[in-house]
Amino acid sequence: RPELFTFAFIALLLFALESEKVRAGSRLCALPLLFVILANLHGGFILGVGILWLYCLGEGLFLLLPRLAAPPSDSGRSWRRLLLIAVLSTAAAGLNPSGFQVYSYYCLIR
């Protein structure tokens, strides 16, 4: 069942994103490679792309609205790094037999 890879990937994605808050490391650098693998295994990779971009949006809102949380001083740099990882991961998911047309499949209104 290929959807089991999607569930495991989403768990890994959320773990990497949340652990980055506690201890900055290189866990996020592996995300583009994981997106390439998942995009070739199951179409549910789009869920991971959505989660990643929503996470970026939430972290950006914490920067814009400081009353929501008290971010550390390097949070702007962390957000830019997260944004770069999101762009690279979205592009890396296009490395599959269908290419970037796989995104247009999800954009079609049926």
Side-chain angles (χ1 to χ4, degrees):
R1 299 278 179 186
E3 62 270 4
L4 293 178
F5 289 110
T6 301
F7 298 147
F9 173 75
I10 296 301
L12 271 171
L13 174 65
L14 292 173
F15 174 76
L17 290 172
E18 286 298 315
S19 66
E20 190 71 18
K21 286 182 179 179
V22 176
R23 184 174 146 232
S26 61
R27 288 185 183 101
L28 291 182
C29 294
L31 289 182
L33 176 63
L34 290 175
F35 271 97
V36 168
I37 294 168
L38 186 64
N40 285 288
L41 289 175
H42 190 253
F45 79 92
I46 197 75
L47 182 62
V49 171
I51 289 172
L52 187 56
W53 282 104
L54 286 174
Y55 200 88
C56 285
L57 177 66
E59 291 298 312
L61 286 176
F62 278 129
L63 284 174
L64 292 175
L65 306 170
R67 288 177 278 162
L68 293 177
S73 61
D74 68 338
S75 62
R77 185 176 55 183
S78 298
W79 183 74
R80 286 190 301 270
R81 182 171 179 252
L82 179 64
L83 193 60
L84 175 65
I85 294 294
V87 169
L88 290 175
S89 297
T90 303
L95 298 175
N96 63 66
S98 299
F100 290 102
Q101 290 178 347
V102 74
Y103 286 116
S104 66
Y105 174 78
Y106 292 104
C107 295
L108 294 175
I109 299 173
R110 296 173 189 234

